[in-house]
Amino acid sequence: MSQLASEMGTPLIFEQGQNGRANRYFARAESAADYLPAEVLRDDLMLPENTELDVVRHYTRLSQRTFGIDLGFYPLGSCTMKYNPRINDAVANLPGLRDLHPFAPDEMAQGALQIMYELERSLASLFGMAAFSLNPAAGAHAELAALLVAKKYFRERGESGRNTVIVPDTAHGTNPASAAMCGFRVISLRSDERGRVGLDELEKVLGPETAVCMMTNPNTLGLFEDHIVEIAKSVHDAGGLMYYDGANANALMGNARPGDMGFDLMHLNTHKTFTIPHGGGGAGHGPLGVAAHLTDYLPIPVVRASKMPNGKPTKFVSDGLTFSLDFDLPKSIGPMRSFWSNFAHAVRALAYMYANGAQGLKRVSELAVLNANYLRVKIAPFLETPYPEICRHEFVASAQKLKKETGVRALDIAKALLDRGYMAPTMYFPLLVPECLMIEPTETESKETLDGFVESLREIVETARRDPKQILDAPTKTVVGRIDETRAARQPDLRWQSH
Amino acid sequence: MSQPQELLFSKEHEWVKVDGDVATVGITDYAQNSLGDIVYVELPKVGSTINQFGNTGVIESVKAVSDLFTPVSGEVLEVNTGLETDPALVNREPFGGGWLFKVKLSKANETSHLLAPESYDQLVAEEGR
Ligand SMILES: Cc1ncc(COP(=O)(O)O)c(C=O)c1O
């Protein structure tokens, strides 16, 4: 048994079964060589042979040992782990959408193109941008696309000297990483004592080399950047562009629009805000929004609508229109992804938007903010909250004091929460708060769930003061206990080998 | 908390031990404790020239990737190759076996920009609050 398998008490699928044990529903081919060229045939693959029942049991057992939003509370800050309504999947699985071939000509794909068009228009109006591209496949991917847009825009204006990107120290690591990957120099901006971008600090780094200032609002401390209009003006006065990291869009839908704050570029993590399952590293969706002066640079293809000769307007935005994919954008940065990108996710996102409606989405954000503030106030008496003011959809707590007094760190609290049936909050991010726990409850959790979480957290802190060892040894009830994080980072054992 | 008395410190939590015109550089106990388990250290190249407070490498822990700054200017004479296989040495012996690199000082007077042990204690006390 491999080490991981034995730790988990379950052999790998490769370690189970017997030669010849597999169920066979189909007659065996006389010889594979009749169907496949000799050079692609190999006999060195040790594929496991298990009965269907054994396979079902194996994977059902594994599925019971994992944790997800369908099992419990998942307050992972910055990730918006809300419930993903099943209607999204029902719609995305309609055969007409699911089985559509990416090479289908536009005439045969009108419904699918209409979905993309309506999603694009809805996002543009909800966030105040001129246009969106549904091409990028995740937030970080859209950041890269946006910076490529900015680079091309400046080059065509003869301003190639604009080679720096300003990123506040509360930013997600993908922001500076995307900028560096795109060849920009990154300037990190220290937050002020209110946890926000200070105009004075910003002015110091602005100049003729400024290309883009990347911000998220509310920032990753869950605080609204209340000088955002002045910040945008300063950056624009210096000739730069403003980029909005939409990972925190769940805080402001229908209440405030990045376009109105002065942002020129933005992305959405539709997999977060618009309820697409995520967290497994799987397919994501990162629409890129731009203001009017940047629409020519969007990735291709773009969905276009034109009036049908006899189209009658009805209650749907796009009835009476015909749709086509436009690949002919001479200034475009090109495609970021093949075909229509992760189209099923566009379907899920639109299903969610239409199920809620504009008023519903506004309410979603209001409840997300209410839930976060409820937790913040309930937790503050026993765990420090370094920014004790009304937050947006998330907030940070710090175990710094507890660590000094008991040796119990944010990491240990996180591990102890696993024992109590919760996913741990995001830890040690943003970096400027020591021993940080970043908590985002989302709007889909009930008061009972939030109260239960507060009680568990209180009990963990009290136990830490009485008997820290109990918390330092956690988790003890999970399938795998405390792992050696250094070894996991340095010598990850990711591959099973038969020999 | 009290720091080794023979060292000087930077605000970015590096320490320096000056011996004639050669300085040994490392990160402080407070720094390694805040970073958590260190899994990778990227050091400057031997023979390269580095400038005071400039970015000279990277320290990666299980929590975060952080820039490493040099508290002094000069030519890099030697780096601690033991950290390639055992970066956790920085956690275990931040002021000893976990040293990072040695520099031939090019500007002797710039140590005046560094903090004495008492001042660094004070800085840590403030940050830790
Ligand atoms: C604030 C912030 N920005 C950007 C990203 C990157 O998004 P994605 O994971 O979709 O690439 C994240 C993801 O967690 C985030 O929290």
Side-chain angles (χ1 to χ4, degrees):
Chain A
M1 236 193 264
S2 76
Q3 192 180 348
L4 182 65
S6 61
E7 276 170 13
M8 294 185 62
T10 309
L12 300 177
I13 194 79
F14 291 94
E15 296 163 330
Q16 303 175 41
Q18 291 285 337
N19 279 349
R21 188 174 277 176
N23 288 73
R24 296 198 195 286
Y25 292 118
F26 306 105
R28 207 182 185 117
E30 284 299 290
S31 157
D34 294 345
Y35 302 94
L36 296 168
E39 66 269 23
V40 303
L41 289 178
R42 47 192 288 203
D43 52 19
D44 59 338
L45 286 177
M46 309 269 284
L47 293 177
E49 296 197 62
N50 289 284
T51 63
E52 184 171 330
L53 175 60
D54 288 339
V55 173
V56 167
R57 283 192 181 146
H58 178 73
Y59 287 107
T60 304
R61 216 178 289 135
L62 289 186
S63 76
Q64 290 172 333
R65 294 182 163 196
T66 186
F67 187 87
I69 187 69
D70 291 347
L71 271 175
F73 187 42
Y74 208 123
L76 194 64
S78 205
C79 295
T80 314
M81 305 304 286
K82 52 164 110 175
Y83 172 64
N84 304 302
R86 292 300 185 269
I87 191 170
N88 297 354
D89 296 321
V91 177
N93 272 316
L94 291 174
L97 296 173
R98 186 191 60 207
D99 301 339
L100 188 63
H101 196 282
F103 279 140
D106 292 351
E107 311 83 84
M108 285 178 67
Q110 285 296 298
L113 295 177
Q114 178 168 353
I115 285 171
M116 297 208 287
Y117 180 76
E118 292 191 13
L119 178 61
E120 190 274 328
R121 286 293 85 207
S122 305
L123 294 178
S125 90
L126 191 56
F127 294 98
M129 306 307 281
F132 269 86
S133 161
L134 306 180
N135 205 239
H141 198 210
E143 290 170 24
L144 180 65
L147 291 164
L148 289 169
V149 165
K151 202 164 196 170
K152 195 148 193 208
Y153 169 77
F154 285 126
R155 195 189 314 134
E156 298 204 345
R157 289 165 59 95
E159 297 181 71
S160 300
R162 295 196 176 272
N163 60 4
T164 60
V165 168
I166 300 166
V167 181
D169 58 4
T170 49
H172 192 258
T174 51
N175 292 184
S178 301
M181 201 153 154
C182 202
F184 287 107
R185 197 164 67 84
V186 179
I187 300 182
S188 173
L189 203 59
R190 226 175 252 264
S191 302
D192 64 15
E193 63 289 344
R194 297 175 60 236
R196 292 163 168 93
V197 168
L199 270 172
D200 296 345
E201 284 296 309
L202 177 65
E203 293 285 356
K204 279 187 216 157
V205 297
L206 285 173
E209 293 184 346
T210 303
V212 181
C213 174
M214 301 178 85
M215 288 179 64
T216 179
N217 196 13
N219 64 24
T220 59
L221 296 167
L223 302 174
F224 193 78
E225 297 280 357
D226 35 20
H227 292 305
I228 191 63
V229 174
E230 292 87 338
I231 290 169
K233 181 166 186 312
S234 293
V235 171
H236 288 152
D237 286 349
L241 296 173
M242 287 288 289
Y243 181 80
Y244 180 78
D245 174 341
N248 294 340
N250 210 44
L252 46 71
M253 283 188 294
N255 291 277
R257 305 195 308 170
D260 300 334
M261 298 176 200
F263 286 98
D264 306 286
L265 298 142
M266 72 171 287
H267 83 253
L268 286 166
N269 307 64
T270 13
H271 46 269
K272 299 179 181 180
T273 319
F274 297 94
T275 60
I276 295 162
H278 64 291
H285 195 240
L288 163 65
V290 294
H293 51 293
L294 298 171
T295 52
D296 287 350
Y297 300 91
L298 281 179
I300 47 173
V302 173
V303 184
R304 303 267 185 233
S306 47
K307 280 236 158 32
M308 269 197 296
N310 297 317
K312 286 193 262 30
T314 67
K315 66 184 156 86
F316 293 104
V317 267
S318 47
D319 274 355
L321 299 173
T322 87
F323 305 93
S324 56
L325 285 176
D326 186 357
F327 288 85
D328 188 24
L329 268 75
K331 289 187 175 176
S332 164
I333 58 165
M336 288 298 288
R337 199 148 187 296
S338 54
F339 299 115
W340 308 10
S341 193
N342 292 332
F343 169 69
H345 282 356
V347 178
R348 290 184 176 94
L350 190 66
Y352 176 73
M353 288 180 90
Y354 281 0
N356 281 282
Q359 284 309 310
L361 292 176
K362 182 164 186 278
R363 186 94 181 118
V364 160
S365 286
E366 288 163 1
L367 289 177
V369 171
L370 180 64
N371 275 1
N373 279 287
Y374 181 75
L375 273 190
R376 181 181 60 80
V377 171
K378 285 272 195 179
I379 286 171
F382 56 89
L383 203 58
E384 245 181 307
T385 48
Y387 298 94
E389 57 171 296
I390 298 284
C391 63
R392 300 298 135 186
H393 67 306
E394 66 192 1
F395 66 98
V396 294
S398 167
Q400 175 84 335
K401 243 178 89 203
L402 190 70
K403 176 178 157 188
K404 269 200 184 155
E405 292 163 13
T406 67
V408 168
R409 303 157 297 170
L411 175 79
D412 306 308
I413 296 180
K415 300 281 185 193
L417 279 168
L418 304 182
D419 265 346
R420 287 150 182 85
Y422 298 105
M423 178 64 190
T426 298
M427 311 174 295
Y428 301 106
F429 171 68
L431 295 172
L432 78 163
V433 176
E435 296 302 325
C436 180
L437 286 170
M438 182 195 208
I439 303 173
E440 179 182 11
T442 83
E443 73 284 1
T444 54
E445 301 297 337
S446 66
K447 180 168 175 298
E448 290 77 9
T449 301
L450 301 183
D451 287 339
F453 178 71
V454 171
E455 280 324 304
S456 289
L457 207 49
R458 185 203 310 278
E459 181 257 310
I460 290 168
V461 172
E462 280 167 7
T463 307
R465 293 199 192 285
R466 207 181 50 243
D467 180 12
K469 188 163 179 315
Q470 262 193 53
I471 305 300
L472 295 172
D473 287 345
T476 56
K477 295 184 198 143
T478 49
V479 178
V480 177
R482 196 60 83 112
I483 57 166
D484 178 343
E485 307 224 4
T486 310
R487 202 169 54 112
R490 281 182 67 81
Q491 299 154 351
D493 183 2
L494 304 173
R495 202 162 63 133
W496 179 82
Q497 276 175 310
S498 60
H499 41 264
Chain B
M1 208 181 313
S2 143
Q3 312 294 338
Q5 291 303 303
E6 70 279 17
L7 306 181
L8 291 170
F9 299 86
S10 75
K11 287 186 182 150
E12 302 286 354
H13 307 285
E14 286 92 13
W15 56 260
V16 197
K17 185 176 169 197
V18 181
D19 189 3
D21 61 353
V22 175
T24 306
V25 175
I27 65 168
T28 64
D29 187 46
Y30 174 81
Q32 71 76 18
N33 192 348
S34 316
L35 287 170
D37 294 340
I38 291 168
V39 297
Y40 180 71
V41 182
E42 186 186 297
L43 295 170
K45 279 204 183 64
V46 173
S48 62
T49 304
I50 54 181
N51 293 312
Q52 189 175 36
F53 305 134
N55 195 336
T56 46
V58 172
I59 297 193
E60 184 172 342
S61 76
V62 292
K63 291 183 202 166
V65 180
S66 313
D67 285 330
L68 174 66
F69 301 95
T70 175
V72 286
S73 309
E75 184 194 330
V76 180
L77 293 176
E78 191 185 342
V79 298
N80 187 350
T81 46
L83 302 180
E84 278 166 29
T85 48
D86 185 14
L89 202 52
V90 179
N91 291 117
R92 293 197 307 274
E93 302 174 26
F95 293 119
W99 64 277
L100 301 177
F101 54 88
K102 294 187 182 177
V103 185
K104 185 164 167 38
L105 292 175
S106 59
K107 295 177 192 151
N109 58 352
E110 76 188 0
T111 50
S112 63
H113 302 148
L114 299 174
L115 306 174
E118 322 66 82
S119 317
Y120 182 67
D121 268 341
Q122 214 175 339
L123 178 86
V124 168
E126 275 165 25
E127 282 203 10
R129 240 192 281 131

